[in-house]
Amino acid sequence: MSQRSVDIAVVGAGPCGLAVGAAATSADLRTVLFDRGPLCSSIVGYPSYMSFFSTPENLEIENLPFVTEGRNPSRKEALAYYRGVARYFDLDVRQYQEVEAVTKIGAEFELRTRTQSGELERWTAESVVVATGGFAEPNYLGVPGEDLPKVSHYYKEAHPYWNQDVLVVGGGNSAVEAALDLFRVGARVTVVHFGADFDPGVKAWILPDIQNRIKNREVAVRWRCRVAEIHPRTAILRSENGGAIDEIPNDWVLALTGWRPDPVLLRSMGIEVDDETGIPVHDPLTMETPISGVFVAGVLVAGIDANKVFIENGKLHGRKIVERFVETR
Ligand SMILES: Cc1cc2nc3c(=O)[nH]c(=O)nc-3n(C[C@H](O)[C@H](O)[C@H](O)COP(=O)(O)OP(=O)(O)OC[C@H]3O[C@@H](n4cnc5c(N)ncnc54)[C@H](O)[C@@H]3O)c2cc1C
């Protein structure tokens, strides 16, 4: 067991955790960031060929220029940029090191962490920032057959689905972008959504594309419908209007139904997380929780509605936190 001590420990090295780290090292604070996966592991999990809807300057951290070839950065460009942020601000990022517990001991916090090789490491910090993101667990369908290998809550790329019957579950950006991608590689796509139309947050520049595919019967859609059961070669759909059942041929189910944050670490630290919204109790002006010295940052603070906080605004939490830390220490 080894002991290390810092001013600020950040749990989660996604873009918003990095923004905390960059603001903290810019204020000459001793800082460490932990991530249970690689740096920005949520972005690593995004579709391989996705592009961000933000323009690069809106994804910049602490004004470090983000230059890209096109108008919207690719996933690869964003990962390269965030590695650059870590290098430029000389951030101590402990990758593949999970924070398992945080305990207040006297005026400090003790973090129990586990490295990739299974070793326990204890760190102490004057302050802890929890920036663990919003992608801890998918919103499960909760239907028989969801555990079949043909079902996934991740979408990486379209090629493996060429000439296959694919059911895309959901009505948001991820579902629409996947459905268009899949159609373009020659998959037979059916979109199923409990709503009567796509979510209002679907990007304006992709909506006409999917609407035309549906109009041309190139992509099938089942509005006001839910998946009732999944079988090895079929899927059973149930209409929300009257409950009519329909069984369709199916090879793959992509359940792109959104994700939710993990409240366990916060609750174990004594921080209340609203059951309904998933929002942790905090002061939005300082990002401080009711436990002095514990802060929250990034998409985590939006709870289950990840559309409210994203990189563009979540990155601003970093400076607020460092200002508050310096002001009150
Ligand atoms: C397809 C797609 C496109 C998007 N496009 C945009 C866009 O154009 N513009 C924009 O602003 N936003 C966009 N977003 C949203 C954006 O990616 C997220 O809002 C952003 O990743 C949030 O950053 P974060 O640092 O708060 O959380 P995350 O990026 O989720 O990072 C949290 C990190 O915490 C780590 N972690 C969790 N628990 C622990 C633990 N106990 N110990 C150690 N580490 C832990 C995780 O491994 C993860 O790396 C997009 C999202 C998706 C899915």
Side-chain angles (χ1 to χ4, degrees), residues 41-292:
S41 67
S42 298
I43 299 181
V44 172
Y46 293 172
S48 306
Y49 307 113
M50 61 79 73
S51 300
F52 284 76
F53 55 80
S54 302
T55 46
E57 65 283 359
N58 289 328
L59 298 177
E60 283 176 359
I61 303 290
E62 286 290 309
N63 301 321
L64 183 68
F66 184 6
V67 181
T68 58
E69 215 176 300
R71 184 179 177 282
N72 300 94
S74 68
R75 171 180 165 277
K76 194 174 172 193
E77 287 172 320
L79 290 172
Y81 173 73
Y82 290 123
R83 291 193 302 271
V85 167
R87 261 198 326 275
Y88 181 82
F89 291 98
D90 198 18
L91 300 182
D92 183 357
V93 183
R94 307 274 161 156
Q95 300 181 95
Y96 308 101
Q97 192 157 349
E98 173 142 14
V99 175
E100 295 182 337
V102 178
T103 327
K104 186 147 175 71
I105 301 184
E108 293 191 312
F109 297 92
E110 184 181 88
L111 294 91
R112 193 185 74 221
T113 74
R114 193 170 297 273
T115 66
Q116 191 182 9
S117 53
E119 286 157 51
L120 267 185
E121 277 187 15
R122 290 182 192 277
W123 289 66
T124 57
E126 214 175 307
S127 178
V128 175
V129 180
V130 183
T132 48
F135 308 102
E137 204 181 21
N139 294 319
Y140 290 104
L141 302 175
V143 300
E146 189 169 6
D147 55 348
L148 287 169
K150 64 186 265 187
V151 182
S152 176
H153 283 267
Y154 285 94
Y155 171 70
K156 281 309 279 181
E157 64 170 306
H159 173 78
Y161 306 102
W162 171 70
N163 202 19
Q164 303 276 291
D165 291 306
V166 184
L167 192 62
V168 174
V169 189
N173 276 306
S174 302
V176 170
E177 287 187 292
L180 288 168
D181 240 13
L182 291 160
F183 157 71
R184 297 224 150 87
V185 300
R188 292 179 294 279
V189 185
T190 301
V191 175
V192 59
H193 187 34
F194 60 76
D197 202 346
F198 290 111
D199 296 353
V202 169
K203 297 169 212 171
W205 59 91
I206 58 171
L207 204 51
D209 191 355
I210 189 77
Q211 288 168 335
N212 285 335
R213 305 289 74 76
I214 291 169
K215 207 168 62 193
N216 299 347
R217 297 180 179 284
E218 293 162 329
V219 168
V221 65
R222 301 294 183 97
W223 299 121
R224 306 274 305 131
C225 208
R226 288 182 190 269
V227 178
E229 289 174 32
I230 303 168
H231 297 284
R233 295 200 53 70
T234 65
I236 297 184
L237 308 181
R238 178 184 293 116
S239 165
E240 297 277 88
N241 302 329
I245 292 281
D246 191 10
E247 186 161 11
I248 61 170
N250 175 257
D251 299 309
W252 305 92
V253 176
L254 294 171
L256 306 179
T257 47
W259 295 76
R260 54 185 53 234
D262 181 357
V264 171
L265 184 66
L266 286 169
R267 287 192 172 133
S268 73
M269 295 164 72
I271 294 155
E272 234 182 279
V273 178
D274 186 279
D275 287 334
E276 295 269 308
T277 63
I279 295 176
V281 175
H282 67 284
D283 175 348
L285 295 178
T286 63
M287 307 315 293
E288 195 163 24
T289 68
I291 300 181
S292 166

Side-chain angles (χ1 to χ4, degrees), residues 8-34 61-62 85-86 88-93 129 131 297 314-315 317-319 321-322:
I8 296 189
V10 184
V11 188
C16 303
L18 290 177
V20 178
T25 52
S26 302
D28 292 326
L29 298 170
R30 293 167 309 138
T31 308
V32 66
L33 297 90
F34 298 100
I61 303 290
E62 286 290 309
V85 167
Y88 181 82
F89 291 98
D90 198 18
L91 300 182
D92 183 357
V93 183
V129 180
K315 68 179 186 176
H317 298 158
R319 281 212 186 157
I321 291 168
V322 169

